[in-house]
């Protein structure tokens, strides 16, 4: 934002995002992205809660991960005990995979998390990936899309736990502590207050914003 270089302006809503002291902007093709350094001061967060997880929603970002190991969170929401949702890279049966996970009960226990996991054949290091997480409240299901294509869907029987806290970039809350520090770049971040369909998600790969779906929040979407 002009005169406030530590803030990422929301181009389609009212939720500007403040960068942590070790986060910075990096110029990429077509605009700017958030560069994070995999430490506790390298993150960004909104001033208020952005996503209502009791209803359908979608989140999306272009990401570039530089870390070969560990859990790495691109977008999450929540502080307190646990995240409500986390779009991330994590271990899957001993291999690294993109995941979209949600917390289904208060408390942050591992046993109350539902995770949509992409095939481990999809690279998670050293190349750009378009990650999109969709929650359909009517179907009680979460779907993870990678590069515009559906990668995994899981049922969420009782819905998503509506934990407290703002939108987070580059970290997530686990068992009352911050973790998943991102190493690399996150850009073109979009949020919708509806469940995008496969056609709408596919349109994002070409630089679209979901066809007829109007984002409720958008950051770093252009030059």
């Amino acid at each position: 934002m002009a005169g406030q270089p530590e803030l990422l302006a929301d181009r389609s809503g009212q939720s500007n995002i403040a960068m942590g002291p070790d986060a910075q902007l990096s110029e990429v093709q077509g605009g700017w992205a958030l560069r994070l350094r995999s430490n506790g001061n390298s993150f960004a967060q909104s001033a208020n809660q952005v996503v209502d997880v009791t209803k359908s929603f979608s989140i999306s970002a272009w990401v570039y991960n530089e870390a070969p190991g560990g859990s790495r969170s691109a977008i999450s929401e929540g502080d307190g005990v646990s995240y409500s949702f986390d779009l991330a890279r994590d271990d899957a049966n001993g291999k690294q995979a993109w995941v979209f996970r949600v917390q289904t009960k208060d408390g942050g226990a591992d046993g109350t998390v539902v995770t949509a996991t992409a095939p481990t054949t999809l690279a998670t290091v050293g190349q750009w990936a378009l990650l999109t997480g969709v929650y359909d409240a009517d179907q009680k299901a979460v779907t993870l899309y990678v590069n515009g294509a559906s990668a995994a869907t899981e049922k969420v029987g009782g819905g998503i736990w509506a934990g407290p806290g703002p939108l987070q970039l580059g970290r997530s809350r686990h068992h009352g502590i911050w973790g998943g520090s991102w190493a690399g770049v996150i850009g073109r971040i979009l949020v919708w207050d509806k469940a995008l369909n496969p056609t709408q998600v596919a349109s994002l790969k070409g630089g679209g914003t979901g066809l007829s779906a109007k984002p409720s929040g958008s950051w770093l979407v252009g030059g």
Side-chain angles (χ1 to χ4, degrees):
M1 292 185 65
Q4 294 180 287
E6 77 283 359
L7 289 181
L8 305 179
D10 181 356
R11 291 200 172 188
S12 48
Q14 296 82 41
S15 299
N16 297 325
I17 292 179
M19 294 187 291
D22 240 4
Q24 63 183 126
L25 291 180
S26 179
E27 191 167 10
V28 296
Q29 184 176 358
W32 297 86
L34 181 68
R35 172 162 287 281
L36 301 173
R37 300 178 181 177
S38 185
N39 65 54
N41 289 320
S42 196
F43 66 92
Q45 71 174 29
S46 63
N48 56 285
Q49 199 168 55
V50 172
V51 179
D52 182 355
V53 299
T54 68
K55 302 175 182 178
S56 295
F57 69 88
S58 304
I59 55 174
S60 184
W62 280 95
V63 304
Y64 189 96
N65 172 49
E66 297 172 347
S71 178
R72 305 290 168 177
S73 177
I75 309 175
S76 71
E77 188 171 86
D79 49 28
V81 174
S82 174
Y83 60 82
S84 289
F85 65 80
D86 189 15
L87 188 64
R89 197 283 301 277
D90 207 356
D91 290 319
N93 298 320
K95 295 183 178 181
Q96 300 294 328
W98 298 120
V99 299
F100 180 42
R101 52 194 169 198
V102 298
Q103 181 60 256
T104 58
K105 292 183 180 178
D106 194 349
D110 292 339
T112 59
V113 174
V114 171
T115 304
T117 304
T120 56
T121 53
L122 296 175
T124 66
V125 185
Q127 57 184 269
W128 285 98
L130 173 62
L131 303 183
T132 307
V134 175
Y135 172 59
D136 188 320
D138 294 330
Q139 298 297 319
K140 291 290 191 295
V142 291
T143 300
L144 170 64
Y145 294 81
V146 180
N147 295 327
S150 177
T153 298
E154 295 290 341
K155 287 289 188 180
V156 184
I160 299 175
W161 172 58
L167 192 74
Q168 304 286 341
L169 303 179
R171 66 178 184 175
S172 62
R173 196 74 166 173
H174 298 258
H175 305 296
I177 61 175
W178 293 113
S181 296
W182 189 264
V185 180
I186 304 172
R188 196 167 179 79
I189 303 147
L190 297 163
V191 173
W192 299 261
D193 56 4
K194 64 177 293 181
L196 298 188
N197 62 43
T199 301
Q200 291 170 324
V201 173
S203 76
L204 303 177
K205 193 173 182 182
T209 55
L211 300 176
S212 61
K214 182 180 178 181
S216 56
S218 55
W219 303 267
L220 300 171
V221 294

